[in-house]
Amino acid sequence: MPESHDQKQSEDFVSLIKEYISTKVELTRLTAIDKLTVLIASLITDAFIVIAMLLTFLFASLTLALFLGELLNSYAAGFGIIALLYLALALIANATKEKYITKFLQDFMIKKIFNKKGK
């Protein structure tokens, strides 16, 4: 009779371990899904914001180029000045990318990936 009781306890223990493992796997799966959906939603929102900002920047650049063209009585000169301005910005960005830009982007992406919903 005691062996039957020990056997019953062993079966209960094994059943509890199986249930615990199953619950742990399900929790891990749901946590991964939660993090993935938060990340994807954040990336979609950020992509929309970036596109809106780029369009704003594009139209502001065209407006400035046309304005300078009117002031200089040459649209080519207005667009040329804006092109030179962007060339200068690109050269500065290229010169400082390792020190500032790459580090900033890496930190930004790490924060996005590990960001919690409550923050």
Side-chain angles (χ1 to χ4, degrees), residues 15-25:
S15 174
L16 285 173
I17 289 176
K18 286 180 182 178
E19 186 178 336
Y20 172 77
I21 291 172
S22 174
T23 304
K24 189 71 173 170
V25 167

Side-chain angles (χ1 to χ4, degrees), residues 52-119:
M53 290 173 60
L54 285 173
L55 287 173
T56 301
F57 184 72
L58 172 68
F59 285 111
S61 297
L62 288 172
T63 302
L64 182 59
L66 289 171
F67 176 72
L68 288 174
E70 288 231 357
L71 286 179
L72 299 171
N73 292 325
S74 169
Y75 288 121
F79 280 92
I81 290 171
I82 297 301
L84 288 175
L85 175 69
Y86 291 144
L87 177 63
L89 289 174
L91 292 174
I92 291 169
N94 188 42
T96 62
K97 73 179 178 184
E98 291 300 321
K99 189 173 184 180
Y100 299 108
I101 298 171
T102 304
K103 183 176 177 0
F104 171 77
L105 289 175
Q106 288 171 342
D107 291 344
F108 177 77
M109 285 186 262
I110 289 171
K111 286 177 185 174
K112 277 289 182 196
I113 291 170
F114 292 107
N115 190 14
K116 299 190 181 190
K117 284 194 293 186
K119 292 184 179 182

Side-chain angles (χ1 to χ4, degrees), residues 31-46:
T31 302
I33 289 171
D34 179 54
K35 287 184 182 246
L36 184 63
T37 56
V38 168
L39 179 64
I40 290 172
S42 178
L43 289 175
I44 290 171
T45 305
D46 290 346

